[in-house]
PDB file of all heavy atoms in Angstrom:
ATOM      1  N   LYS A  57    -172.435   6.442 -42.676  1.00  0.00           N
ATOM      2  CA  LYS A  57    -173.648   7.184 -42.336  1.00  0.00           C
ATOM      3  C   LYS A  57    -174.177   7.933 -43.550  1.00  0.00           C
ATOM      4  O   LYS A  57    -173.468   8.229 -44.501  1.00  0.00           O
ATOM      5  CB  LYS A  57    -173.348   8.174 -41.204  1.00  0.00           C
ATOM      6  CG  LYS A  57    -172.966   7.508 -39.890  1.00  0.00           C
ATOM      7  CD  LYS A  57    -172.702   8.556 -38.817  1.00  0.00           C
ATOM      8  CE  LYS A  57    -172.323   7.903 -37.491  1.00  0.00           C
ATOM      9  NZ  LYS A  57    -172.050   8.914 -36.431  1.00  0.00           N
ATOM     10  N   LYS A  58    -175.473   8.267 -43.478  1.00  0.00           N
ATOM     11  CA  LYS A  58    -176.151   8.926 -44.596  1.00  0.00           C
ATOM     12  C   LYS A  58    -175.469  10.238 -44.984  1.00  0.00           C
ATOM     13  O   LYS A  58    -175.256  10.516 -46.156  1.00  0.00           O
ATOM     14  CB  LYS A  58    -177.610   9.198 -44.195  1.00  0.00           C
ATOM     15  CG  LYS A  58    -178.484   9.704 -45.324  1.00  0.00           C
ATOM     16  CD  LYS A  58    -178.866   8.584 -46.253  1.00  0.00           C
ATOM     17  CE  LYS A  58    -179.904   9.050 -47.263  1.00  0.00           C
ATOM     18  NZ  LYS A  58    -180.282   7.979 -48.201  1.00  0.00           N
ATOM     19  N   ASP A  59    -175.118  11.056 -44.000  1.00  0.00           N
ATOM     20  CA  ASP A  59    -174.482  12.345 -44.287  1.00  0.00           C
ATOM     21  C   ASP A  59    -173.150  12.167 -44.992  1.00  0.00           C
ATOM     22  O   ASP A  59    -172.801  12.919 -45.908  1.00  0.00           O
ATOM     23  CB  ASP A  59    -174.284  13.149 -42.995  1.00  0.00           C
ATOM     24  CG  ASP A  59    -175.596  13.648 -42.417  1.00  0.00           C
ATOM     25  OD1 ASP A  59    -176.589  13.673 -43.167  1.00  0.00           O
ATOM     26  OD2 ASP A  59    -175.618  14.015 -41.230  1.00  0.00           O
ATOM     27  N   LEU A  60    -172.404  11.139 -44.571  1.00  0.00           N
ATOM     28  CA  LEU A  60    -171.106  10.876 -45.198  1.00  0.00           C
ATOM     29  C   LEU A  60    -171.304  10.356 -46.623  1.00  0.00           C
ATOM     30  O   LEU A  60    -170.531  10.701 -47.527  1.00  0.00           O
ATOM     31  CB  LEU A  60    -170.313   9.865 -44.362  1.00  0.00           C
ATOM     32  CG  LEU A  60    -168.891   9.544 -44.852  1.00  0.00           C
ATOM     33  CD1 LEU A  60    -168.080  10.819 -45.034  1.00  0.00           C
ATOM     34  CD2 LEU A  60    -168.203   8.595 -43.887  1.00  0.00           C
ATOM     35  N   GLN A  61    -172.341   9.540 -46.831  1.00  0.00           N
ATOM     36  CA  GLN A  61    -172.651   9.065 -48.178  1.00  0.00           C
ATOM     37  C   GLN A  61    -172.940  10.235 -49.114  1.00  0.00           C
ATOM     38  O   GLN A  61    -172.465  10.274 -50.249  1.00  0.00           O
ATOM     39  CB  GLN A  61    -173.855   8.115 -48.146  1.00  0.00           C
ATOM     40  CG  GLN A  61    -173.563   6.760 -47.535  1.00  0.00           C
ATOM     41  CD  GLN A  61    -174.778   5.841 -47.584  1.00  0.00           C
ATOM     42  OE1 GLN A  61    -175.779   6.161 -48.214  1.00  0.00           O
ATOM     43  NE2 GLN A  61    -174.690   4.708 -46.921  1.00  0.00           N
ATOM     44  N   ASN A  62    -173.721  11.200 -48.619  1.00  0.00           N
ATOM     45  CA  ASN A  62    -174.042  12.379 -49.430  1.00  0.00           C
ATOM     46  C   ASN A  62    -172.800  13.196 -49.740  1.00  0.00           C
ATOM     47  O   ASN A  62    -172.635  13.716 -50.857  1.00  0.00           O
ATOM     48  CB  ASN A  62    -175.067  13.248 -48.707  1.00  0.00           C
ATOM     49  CG  ASN A  62    -176.427  12.583 -48.617  1.00  0.00           C
ATOM     50  OD1 ASN A  62    -176.775  11.747 -49.454  1.00  0.00           O
ATOM     51  ND2 ASN A  62    -177.208  12.942 -47.608  1.00  0.00           N
ATOM     52  N   ALA A  63    -171.906  13.301 -48.748  1.00  0.00           N
ATOM     53  CA  ALA A  63    -170.659  14.050 -48.956  1.00  0.00           C
ATOM     54  C   ALA A  63    -169.782  13.361 -50.008  1.00  0.00           C
ATOM     55  O   ALA A  63    -169.192  14.022 -50.877  1.00  0.00           O
ATOM     56  CB  ALA A  63    -169.906  14.184 -47.639  1.00  0.00           C
ATOM     57  N   LEU A  64    -169.706  12.035 -49.932  1.00  0.00           N
ATOM     58  CA  LEU A  64    -168.925  11.275 -50.908  1.00  0.00           C
ATOM     59  C   LEU A  64    -169.510  11.432 -52.309  1.00  0.00           C
ATOM     60  O   LEU A  64    -168.779  11.556 -53.292  1.00  0.00           O
ATOM     61  CB  LEU A  64    -168.887   9.797 -50.515  1.00  0.00           C
ATOM     62  CG  LEU A  64    -168.028   9.431 -49.305  1.00  0.00           C
ATOM     63  CD1 LEU A  64    -168.232   7.972 -48.927  1.00  0.00           C
ATOM     64  CD2 LEU A  64    -166.554   9.693 -49.599  1.00  0.00           C
ATOM     65  N   MET A  65    -170.852  11.434 -52.396  1.00  0.00           N
ATOM     66  CA  MET A  65    -171.500  11.564 -53.691  1.00  0.00           C
ATOM     67  C   MET A  65    -171.206  12.938 -54.306  1.00  0.00           C
ATOM     68  O   MET A  65    -170.924  13.048 -55.501  1.00  0.00           O
ATOM     69  CB  MET A  65    -173.014  11.363 -53.547  1.00  0.00           C
ATOM     70  CG  MET A  65    -173.729  11.230 -54.873  1.00  0.00           C
ATOM     71  SD  MET A  65    -175.489  10.860 -54.686  1.00  0.00           S
ATOM     72  CE  MET A  65    -175.405   9.350 -53.760  1.00  0.00           C
ATOM     73  N   CYS A  66    -171.254  13.982 -53.492  1.00  0.00           N
ATOM     74  CA  CYS A  66    -170.932  15.324 -53.991  1.00  0.00           C
ATOM     75  C   CYS A  66    -169.484  15.392 -54.459  1.00  0.00           C
ATOM     76  O   CYS A  66    -169.177  15.995 -55.498  1.00  0.00           O
ATOM     77  CB  CYS A  66    -171.179  16.361 -52.895  1.00  0.00           C
ATOM     78  SG  CYS A  66    -172.923  16.691 -52.580  1.00  0.00           S
ATOM     79  N   GLY A  67    -168.590  14.764 -53.688  1.00  0.00           N
ATOM     80  CA  GLY A  67    -167.187  14.732 -54.076  1.00  0.00           C
ATOM     81  C   GLY A  67    -166.984  14.021 -55.404  1.00  0.00           C
ATOM     82  O   GLY A  67    -166.228  14.493 -56.268  1.00  0.00           O
ATOM     83  N   CYS A  68    -167.676  12.899 -55.586  1.00  0.00           N
ATOM     84  CA  CYS A  68    -167.591  12.165 -56.853  1.00  0.00           C
ATOM     85  C   CYS A  68    -168.120  13.013 -58.008  1.00  0.00           C
ATOM     86  O   CYS A  68    -167.564  13.021 -59.104  1.00  0.00           O
ATOM     87  CB  CYS A  68    -168.403  10.867 -56.766  1.00  0.00           C
ATOM     88  SG  CYS A  68    -167.595   9.547 -55.859  1.00  0.00           S
TER      89      CYS A  68
END
Side-chain angles (χ1 to χ4, degrees):
K57 295 181 180 180
K58 188 76 172 179
D59 290 342
L60 183 53
Q61 288 182 9
N62 292 334
L64 288 173
M65 191 175 302
C66 286
C68 282

